[in-house]
Amino acid sequence: MKQQALLCLLLQLAFELSSGTNLWVVPGSSLELPCFSFQTDFPGAAITWKFNGNEINANTPNGSPRVKQGGRYIFISPVTAANEGDYSCLIKDNDREMITTYKVRVDASFNYSIKVIKGSTAHLPCHFQPAGEVKANALWFNETGLGNELLNPEGDNRVELLYPLDHDQTIIIRDVGMQDAGTYLCRSAEGAKLSSVNLIVEVAPTAPPHSCSGFTTPWEPCQDENSRTGEPMLQESITEFSMKLYSYLRESQPSSNLLFSPISIIGALSHLLLGARGDTRKAIERAVCVPHDFHCVHLQMKKLREKLAGSLQMASQIYYNPEINLNQSFIDQSIQFYDAKPVMLLDTSENNTEMINSWVANKTNNKIQHLVDSVSPSTQLMLLNAVSFTGQWKVKYEMKPRKGLFTKLDGDLVNVQLLYHPKYMVAMTYVVQLKAQVARLALTGDSSLYILLPSSRKVSDLQLVEESLTDTAVRQMIQEVQKTTPEHVEVTLPKIELDVQPDMNMLIKKLGLSSLFESSNLCGLYSEERVVLDDARHRAFLALNEQGVEAGAVTTISFSRSFPSFSALRPFIMLLWSDTANVPLFIGRVTDP
Ligand SMILES: *[C@@H]1O[C@H](CO)[C@@H](O)[C@H](O)[C@H]1NC(C)=O
Ligand SMILES: *[C@@H]1O[C@H](CO)[C@@H](O)[C@H](O)[C@H]1NC(C)=O
Ligand SMILES: *[C@@H]1O[C@H](CO)[C@@H](O)[C@H](O)[C@H]1NC(C)=O
Ligand SMILES: *[C@@H]1O[C@H](CO)[C@@H](O)[C@H](O)[C@H]1NC(C)=O
Ligand SMILES: *[C@@H]1O[C@H](CO)[C@@H](O)[C@H](O)[C@H]1NC(C)=O
């Protein structure tokens, strides 16, 4: 939307007598050209507009360009390449004549001039128009003295296309040298020019020494530990944050299976927040939708973790390089709020990989056994959060194996194993705002699995539901379904095992935290050197079987004819919800079980 607004610049122009005015215009925008200044008036004068020497007909009501107010203006909307050329306005009365001219050039490309410090990473921006599907990546060229040289992100490890097949075709050039200065061009595969970047490389000014002075105070105490507003405030933050993440993920992956645990991501970010100061603190607070003066956020996270402990176990951990000295008050608060005593990293990458993967396996109850392939020797700090969820069905499903057909988004049928129950207590209702049929299956440990079934298997119907899925709509849905009386229904669900690794680095950027990759103020945690974020990951696993849900959930339900029926044998969205804490634990989408 923002980009569209940008393209819709309405140019109000001050006019310049006789000396033709040169104008660059972006296609799709609107252009208004005045014939003469507002102060002057020419009563009774005849006004004629010409485009490339040909008169523009003033009497065509919806023509483009359209002559307005008897010739005082012409208006062009939307501007296209055909509008490129010379426009002139001739005013003639008895004793004088005046001509105003404009040279209009239409250019879709954006010109950027970017200044970076030698040795740093340069981001070169390039965007496709927001409308339309991205079928091929843009091509980036280096304008050298010997012509344009195609950059090869695959073959050159200094160059990386950040978001392949996304509307954002930004590339980065790592470790920029003086020889990289110059012009870079981004073109679509069809040859349309999208952006031109003039890269200026400068030698770093003698950088001010890293200083945490003024930033080493501990996290503020929570003034009112028993305040009634703390808990609902955190619930709101988590739900808002969760739905924001879902919307980022669905945009980048419109049709595949999805799964993530918002509670785990917020657990890691709020732990990091404990040591963040200055702008980094503000950026994380904004990202996790927490008000700046909400000093009780860590205490509330602790209470939430304790409240959920019956069904969801959450664990945090910090690994750090033995060469750095973590601040003692941070260590104390980390233990107090996150039950995490920082642990030193070992000598080799293999030992660290092994240590971290076994911690992850242990804390996820062996559901996720592998997270990292290696640990770089330059790693200073690693912050981890793991959650493990187990919820059993209130009534067990039939053990006899059954098979059925799930209809995918493209209409293909896939054979799936089914969970079947002839008479299961389900609360279900059609939620108008979400345009979806919603069923709630209660689990042990005060949690529920909500399944949101769009009107059909079509992508457009799935998208209708996803677009309406805001935090407010989800809260209303939960209330509405909780008011619905459960009834006996014949339930058929697909058996599912999802194991998904959403792109956390992309999420970090979308959350407005890309500055953490360049410089993070973690002065509360460690104040001796500057640290920067270099990698972020998320992996979620969810299995749905005869016993219940492990770590997350996926479901298919169907009812026999004599009962009302709810059949999810086509793509659906699901939310694993904690009824006690009133926050989402896992969110997923099943398009291919
Ligand atoms: C953008 O830069 C290119 C090359 O530097 C130049 O040819 C073009 O005229 C510029 N366009 C605008 C709108 O300034
Ligand atoms: C662009 O071309 C110049 C040579 O003209 C080269 O030195 C520089 O490394 C190139 N930049 C990239 C990012 O490949
Ligand atoms: C550690 O933090 C405390 C307060 O949080 C501060 O007073 C102290 O100076 C810090 N220590 C270092 C080494 O930065
Ligand atoms: C590191 O790994 C090596 C080889 O796998 C092993 O022999 C050694 O005991 C490990 N060290 C620690 C501290 O775990
Ligand atoms: C995790 O580690 C603890 C302590 O070593 C152990 O008691 C527990 O059984 C482990 N859990 C798993 C799932 O391996």
Side-chain angles (χ1 to χ4, degrees), residues 209-484:
H210 167 70
S211 164
C212 273
S213 90
F215 289 121
T216 51
T217 48
W219 189 269
E220 299 88 342
C222 171
Q223 294 296 351
D224 184 1
E225 300 204 350
N226 298 313
S227 146
R228 290 197 194 173
T229 53
E231 186 179 355
M233 213 169 201
L234 186 65
Q235 289 174 353
E236 261 170 47
S237 302
I238 296 178
T239 311
E240 189 182 344
F241 173 74
S242 304
M243 301 330 294
K244 190 163 75 168
L245 284 186
Y246 188 84
S247 76
Y248 297 152
L249 285 170
R250 74 172 172 85
E251 274 166 22
S252 71
Q253 289 165 280
S255 60
S256 58
N257 286 337
L258 281 184
L259 183 71
F260 67 100
S261 174
I263 197 89
S264 173
I265 299 177
I266 209 166
L269 286 175
S270 65
H271 196 176
L272 184 67
L273 179 61
L274 189 60
R277 298 291 180 269
D279 288 343
T280 301
R281 169 171 169 175
K282 285 191 199 132
I284 299 176
E285 283 168 337
R286 264 196 308 274
V288 299
C289 312
V290 159
H292 183 59
D293 54 3
F294 187 27
H295 299 158
C296 299
V297 57
H298 303 293
L299 182 81
Q300 288 299 337
M301 281 301 292
K302 175 190 167 83
K303 289 187 172 175
L304 176 68
R305 188 179 73 245
E306 290 165 356
K307 191 167 195 174
L308 288 171
S311 54
L312 179 112
Q313 290 83 48
M314 181 189 280
S316 293
Q317 184 64 295
I318 289 183
Y319 291 105
Y320 67 101
N321 188 322
E323 280 159 24
I324 72 172
N325 296 311
L326 292 189
N327 187 301
Q328 191 56 43
S329 34
F330 172 80
I331 298 180
D332 296 343
Q333 289 189 320
S334 176
I335 297 169
Q336 180 191 352
F337 297 120
Y338 294 93
D339 194 19
K341 183 164 190 269
V343 169
M344 279 191 210
L345 285 165
L346 304 172
D347 289 343
T348 65
S349 172
E350 293 75 30
N351 286 95
N352 284 322
T353 309
E354 149 81 26
M355 174 169 73
I356 286 159
N357 286 333
S358 33
W359 184 87
V360 170
N362 182 283
K363 298 302 175 191
T364 60
N365 225 335
N366 293 323
K367 283 161 204 141
I368 295 169
Q369 310 211 354
H370 190 90
L371 182 74
V372 290
D373 296 323
S374 63
V375 178
S376 152
S378 63
T379 302
Q380 301 287 304
L381 276 170
M382 266 182 98
L383 198 144
L384 284 89
N385 179 285
V387 297
S388 169
F389 174 87
T390 308
Q392 316 247 300
W393 301 121
K394 293 276 171 82
V395 185
K396 295 281 175 286
Y397 279 75
E398 199 178 71
M399 295 301 286
K400 196 176 87 194
R402 274 178 191 253
K403 289 213 154 204
L405 291 171
F406 182 98
T407 315
K408 298 205 290 183
L409 286 174
D410 57 9
D412 284 357
L413 297 172
V414 278
N415 249 308
V416 288
Q417 297 214 340
L418 298 182
L419 298 177
Y420 174 78
H421 201 289
K423 267 179 150 190
Y424 199 88
M425 288 300 271
V426 176
M428 58 176 196
T429 183
Y430 182 80
V431 179
V432 180
Q433 300 93 307
L434 293 179
K435 297 168 196 73
Q437 207 183 352
V438 179
R440 170 185 183 226
L441 294 109
L443 295 160
T444 57
D446 279 329
S447 307
S448 300
L449 182 67
Y450 284 85
I451 295 186
L452 286 68
L453 195 65
S455 317
S456 82
R457 59 128 180 111
K458 290 200 297 258
V459 179
S460 53
D461 283 326
L462 176 69
Q463 281 169 352
L464 270 183
V465 181
E466 295 192 322
E467 278 156 19
S468 336
L469 214 56
T470 61
D471 51 325
T472 324
V474 165
R475 292 210 164 276
Q476 278 170 358
M477 171 198 87
I478 303 280
Q479 278 176 10
E480 212 170 304
V481 180
Q482 280 173 349
K483 277 191 304 212
T484 311

